[in-house]
Structures are given as C-alpha cells and as structure tokens.
Amino acid sequence: MWQAPKESTYLVNYFLEICYTCLGSNPYFLSAKGSTCTFTESILRHCGFHTGLFTSPHLIDVRERFRLDGEDICEEKFLAYFWWCYDRLKEKTTEDIPMPTYFRFLALLAFKIFAAEQVDVAILEVGLGGTFDATNVVQTHVVCGISSLGYDHMEILGNTLGEIAGEKAGIFKNGVPAFTVPQPDEAMRVLEEKASKRDVPLQVAPPLDSNLLNGLKLGLEGEHQYINAGLAVALSSKWLQRTGHLEISYLEQTSSLPEQFIKGLTTACLQGRAQIVPDRCINNESDGDLVFYLDGAHSPESMEVCARWFSLAIKDDNPQNTLNCPSQNNFQSMLECVDKYHDGKSGKNLMQILLFNCMSVRDPQLLLPRLMKTCATHGVYFKKALFVPNISVYYKVGSHALPPTEPQVDLSWQFTLQRLWENLVQGDKGGEANNTDAVCEEVKDDTGSSVRTCKNSAVFPSLPLAIKWLRDSVYQNRSVRIQVLVTGSLHLVGDVLRLVK
C-alpha cells in the first residue's frame, strides 16, 4: 500500500497550522467521485450557500480544480493564493525536506482558497483512495460519501474490491455520518466493518427516482448519474440537517424534492463526463457532421457505463434510426452493416469512430473488451479505432496555446493498444499479435507524418493529426456524419476539448 512521503510531513503540518487558523469552524464534507461532488455543490449553491468545490484532474486549465459558487477561480485570485502558499512553503524547504508533491500542494492550496474566501461549505473530491489521500487531513467534516467502487488505481489501492473498499473507507471519521451507494457484497462488507470500528453511522443512499425531477433531466448525462445524484441528495440533506438548516432539507421523503434540489441537480455541469461537443471547425460549414462524445472513463466499470451512454446518446440524436446488426463474431458482416447505417433526417450515413488512449498503468485488456462488447449489445460497432498519445498532462495557468508536437514520440504503448483492438475485432481469427502486425502498414499523411494503419485501426503520432484526419474525412465525403467517442483518459478528453472548442 502507498505511504505518505515522510520528508514532506513537516511542511504539510506547517501549512495546515496556517490554514486551520483561517478555517475556524467552517464545515466540510468529502466525496469520492467528481460527479457526486458536482451535484452536491450545485444543490447547496442553489440553497443559497457560498460554496467551494475541489476536484481533480483538470482538463484544460488548473483553475478548474477550484470552483467558487460554481465558477472556476479567476486567474488573479488563483495566482495570489498560489504564490502566498508557495512562498511560505519554499521558505521551509531544504535538501532533505523538499516541497510537497503536486497533488498535495494543490489540496493545500484549496484549503487556503476556501478559508480566505470564507465559504459556507467546502466539497472536496478525494484524489486516490482515502486513507493516505491529501484531502484526508481534514478531521472536522460534517458528512462524507463513498460512491460506486470498482477496479481502479489498483497499483495503489489493492487488487480486490475488499482491499479497495478498505482504502476508500479511510475517509471515515469517528462518529461522523457517512453514506454510500449500493455496492458489491465484498465491498459493502468491508465498508460496514470499517464503519462499525469507528462508530460511523453508515447508510446506503438509493438511486434518485427520475420522477422527482418534475419532468426535467439531470445536468450530467448517463443512467449511472442517478446513482451519483441519489448520493448527492443524501449528503446535502445530512449537511443541512447537521448545520441547522432544516427548512430546506430533504429527510426521508419519497414523493417530492425541494425546488432548490431539483434546480441544483438539473443544472449541474462537469466537463469531460458524458459531454457532447460538435466540432466548430467542421460544423460552421455543415451542422453536426463531426461530433465528439467525450467521457473520461478509465476503469472497467466506468468503461461499460461510458459505452452504454454513447450507444444511447447517438440513437437519441437519431431516434428514427436504430442499427440492428447480427450479434456474432463475424465483424466483417457487422462493418458492412455499419456502412448501411443511414440518418434519414439528414440523408447522411452515420459512422462511429473510437479515439482512445489510457495510461500504461491500466490494463487495456480489461478496458477495450468491455467497451466493445457493451457497444455491441446496443448494436453499435466502430468503423475504426484511432490511438494517440496525450498532448500533455498539465498546462500553464491561462495558457491557450497547445504545446508543440514532439518530433520523436514513443508510440510503443499505442501500438500495443492497436494490436489488442485488432485481435478483438478479428475474434477467433485474430491469432497472435505478430500476425496482426502483418496486416498493418506505415503510410504518410499530407504533412509527411507516419501513420500506422490497419484494417480496423490507426495509430497517429499526435492528437492534432488524428483530429485533422477526422476533419479531412468529413470534407472528402459530405455524405458521412462522424460520431467520435473519446475515452480512456481524462487527460485525452481535455486535450480534445482544447482542440475542438
């Protein structure tokens, strides 16, 4: 299990001493998922409270991690608080005691921002796990929540759901109420055991009944969001109850939701999660011919949820056209069926493309098959999968220029993803990876860059080149509408947003 670096403990304690002086009795609660945190912040903001929200990672600008009353912190304030924290920590560093790590520093910065801005409530999304997470230094939160658990960050949290649940339960504090959602039996047993040891009243929040929204839809797309919304309602209600605001709390009611709750749930916004973005470059000339469906799923469970959302979303856009292809391993027949998929409203053929990358610490053999099979059960098959490296992980504050493309990029990981995809598509005909390589070839695009293309996939040396290929495909064939699922990495999603918006 991961342990906190000892060399930074002194600096962390020093910084917290400063922050706690500012924080006073400000109430906090923590939640394990960005969507749940976003719903919760939106509910309490619409209840009239001055809110602070800390989430990770950011997609385009680091300021996205720090939201005040639903808006990213402005650049002027961010820089002022950043240097205030940095300068004081830097004064205490030595060769033996370096600065805190990146996420730890940002978590500490969040405490400073929320303290200085005197928020009524701060909602903190846990980074990794719970026990040793930087956000877990807060000891006085009012309520905490653990959302759906899955096989994610296994290199840090453990190899079983029980081990992962044990780490997540590290955010439990003695006597502080906690909520979770329906979990697999193995995970639930561990959560209940940990809660019992710390005298934590643990309750299971049911998924939100869509009928309580008075005909409106959740602000975040996807069926799974009703689970997150149900947890957010429970967390918000408990916070309101424990802080004495009973007049707008929602306690044990099943027939209606307060108006503030409905508005918060239906207006919540979070980039990169089940987000649909038409490409402005293409769609200024021809509406809807290139559309990106973005979701930062990167675990087996979230990949399945992402696949269901994408499959339903593209059909919602074209309700008159449901693709019915045979459920079998003959992908050639399936792809022929894809070629015939026609949008009756626009007179154009619809084509689904996958744009994918994931971190090398993740197991693509758990991700890509789950994605492909779930889409297939909904009659959705990708014409081609594009594999690319991320442009960058972090960007300078306020910078809107993309970093230059690396002249020499190591694409070995993308080639691994491509081989796996080709074998999946070919089914029992796939054979070994070497056999798949034989049907691939290196081709030059019109910029002179090498692209390795196979029958069902391609590896591009950069994301901008892949986007260019998609745009060129639309320009060259005006009878096609391309729907691109971007997933596997929130960093990839952020890079695509930066390019197409």
Side-chain angles (χ1 to χ4, degrees):
M1 291 302 145
W2 178 72
Q3 294 289 334
K6 293 182 179 178
E7 64 273 11
S8 65
T9 302
Y10 170 70
L11 285 175
V12 171
N13 289 337
Y14 167 73
F15 186 89
L16 288 178
E17 182 179 343
I18 299 174
C19 279
Y20 284 156
T21 301
C22 300
L23 288 173
S25 60
N26 276 356
Y28 283 82
F29 60 74
L30 294 81
S31 182
K33 193 180 185 75
S35 299
T36 301
C37 288
T38 300
F39 279 131
T40 305
E41 184 280 330
S42 187
I43 289 172
L44 294 178
R45 173 162 41 89
H46 282 91
C47 286
F49 295 100
H50 179 27
T51 61
L53 173 62
F54 176 61
T55 60
S56 61
H58 62 271
L59 298 185
I60 298 176
D61 192 308
V62 68
R63 294 180 296 113
E64 297 167 22
R65 296 175 182 244
F66 314 91
R67 303 186 82 180
L68 297 169
D69 296 327
E71 299 290 336
D72 298 348
I73 188 171
C74 69
E75 188 170 330
E76 181 181 3
K77 284 186 176 182
F78 176 83
L79 290 173
Y81 291 132
F82 176 92
W83 289 114
W84 188 95
C85 296
Y86 182 89
D87 291 342
R88 279 156 181 76
L89 287 171
K90 193 65 175 176
E91 290 174 359
K92 301 292 183 178
T93 60
T94 67
E95 290 185 2
D96 297 324
I97 306 177
M99 289 286 284
T101 56
Y102 179 77
F103 182 78
R104 284 173 167 263
F105 179 84
L106 293 183
L108 297 175
L109 177 57
F111 302 151
K112 171 60 182 175
I113 290 171
F114 298 153
E117 293 294 320
Q118 298 183 321
V119 299
D120 297 320
V121 56
I123 300 95
L124 308 177
E125 179 187 6
V126 172
L128 293 181
T131 303
F132 298 110
D133 189 79
T135 60
N136 205 26
V137 296
V138 176
Q139 298 295 310
T140 57
H141 58 260
V142 175
V143 62
C144 65
I146 295 180
S147 51
S148 301
L149 298 179
Y151 292 97
D152 194 15
H153 303 296
M154 296 168 64
E155 72 283 0
I156 293 174
L157 303 181
N159 296 316
T160 68
L161 277 181
E163 291 176 343
I164 293 170
E167 289 300 308
K168 296 286 187 180
I171 66 173
F172 290 162
K173 298 297 183 293
N174 291 337
V176 174
F179 289 89
T180 188
V181 299
Q183 305 280 6
D185 290 342
E186 179 185 1
M188 187 61 75
R189 282 194 299 269
V190 173
L191 293 180
E192 291 172 344
E193 177 185 340
K194 297 287 186 180
S196 177
K197 288 181 178 179
R198 297 192 176 186
D199 194 27
V200 170
L202 176 65
Q203 294 179 259
V204 176
L208 181 71
D209 183 350
S210 61
N211 293 322
L212 296 177
L213 296 177
N214 295 340
L216 301 175
K217 291 185 177 181
L218 290 175
L220 305 182
E221 292 284 344
E223 294 178 354
H224 64 292
Q225 294 295 0
Y226 286 92
I227 297 176
N228 297 325
L231 180 56
V233 166
L235 291 169
S236 301
S237 297
K238 181 60 70 173
W239 186 86
L240 289 164
Q241 178 194 36
R242 297 195 76 207
T243 54
H245 300 91
L246 295 177
E247 69 278 5
I248 49 175
S249 63
Y250 172 77
L251 301 173
E252 307 299 330
Q253 298 181 43
T254 57
S255 59
S256 64
L257 275 177
E259 181 181 346
Q260 301 96 321
F261 279 48
I262 294 175
K263 194 164 185 180
L265 291 168
T266 56
T267 60
C269 179
L270 184 62
Q271 283 200 115
R273 279 77 165 182
Q275 183 179 7
I276 302 174
V277 179
D279 182 39
R280 292 180 178 178
C281 180
I282 290 291
N283 297 321
N284 282 340
E285 301 177 22
S286 181
D287 184 48
D289 281 354
L290 179 58
V291 180
F292 292 89
Y293 296 75
L294 304 118
D295 191 89
H298 49 266
S299 69
E301 294 80 10
S302 62
M303 193 62 63
E304 184 173 333
V305 169
C306 167
R308 285 202 303 270
W309 162 72
F310 174 69
S311 300
L312 295 174
I314 62 174
K315 291 177 183 179
D316 285 344
D317 288 343
N318 304 281
Q320 302 300 320
N321 296 278
T322 299
L323 179 58
N324 295 309
C325 288
S327 179
Q328 54 181 324
N329 285 331
N330 185 353
F331 270 78
Q332 185 58 43
S333 297
M334 293 177 180
L335 292 176
E336 290 173 358
C337 181
V338 170
D339 289 335
K340 297 175 183 177
Y341 190 19
H342 190 72
D343 179 7
K345 292 188 298 181
S346 65
K348 297 193 176 185
N349 295 315
L350 301 180
M351 180 188 300
Q352 287 78 48
I353 300 288
L354 174 65
L355 182 57
F356 188 91
N357 191 38
C358 66
M359 297 175 63
S360 58
V361 296
R362 308 199 185 281
D363 186 353
Q365 297 189 65
L366 297 177
L367 302 180
L368 289 173
R370 189 80 72 97
L371 172 67
M372 177 183 284
K373 289 177 182 177
T374 304
C375 284
T377 60
H378 290 82
V380 175
Y381 303 90
F382 295 99
K383 181 68 173 178
K384 209 169 188 69
L386 313 182
F387 299 100
V388 296
N390 294 344
I391 296 175
S392 174
V393 175
Y394 308 119
Y395 295 101
K396 294 180 180 179
V397 178
S399 170
H400 298 291
L402 288 165
T405 303
E406 294 289 340
Q408 296 294 329
V409 181
D410 181 6
L411 297 174
S412 56
W413 177 243
Q414 284 68 39
F415 293 150
T416 298
L417 298 174
Q418 183 182 42
R419 285 193 295 270
L420 173 59
W421 182 263
E422 288 293 329
N423 284 333
L424 287 171
V425 171
Q426 294 181 31
D428 56 4
K429 299 178 182 179
E432 297 298 321
N434 288 336
N435 293 334
T436 303
D437 285 341
V439 300
C440 298
E441 61 176 342
E442 297 283 341
V443 297
K444 297 281 188 180
D445 65 10
D446 55 11
T447 68
S449 300
S450 294
V451 178
R452 191 169 90 158
T453 180
C454 300
K455 185 175 182 180
N456 307 290
S457 62
V459 170
F460 289 85
S462 74
L463 176 60
L465 288 175
I467 300 294
K468 182 180 182 300
W469 181 87
L470 289 166
R471 288 169 173 165
D472 288 345
S473 298
V474 172
Y475 281 131
Q476 293 165 10
N477 189 350
R478 286 300 189 179
S479 66
V480 172
R481 172 173 290 173
I482 298 180
Q483 299 163 317
V484 185
L485 173 61
V486 184
T487 190
S489 163
L490 274 168
H491 300 304
L492 174 63
V493 166
D495 291 341
V496 171
L497 279 172
R498 199 174 184 82
L499 279 167
V500 303
K501 293 185 74 173

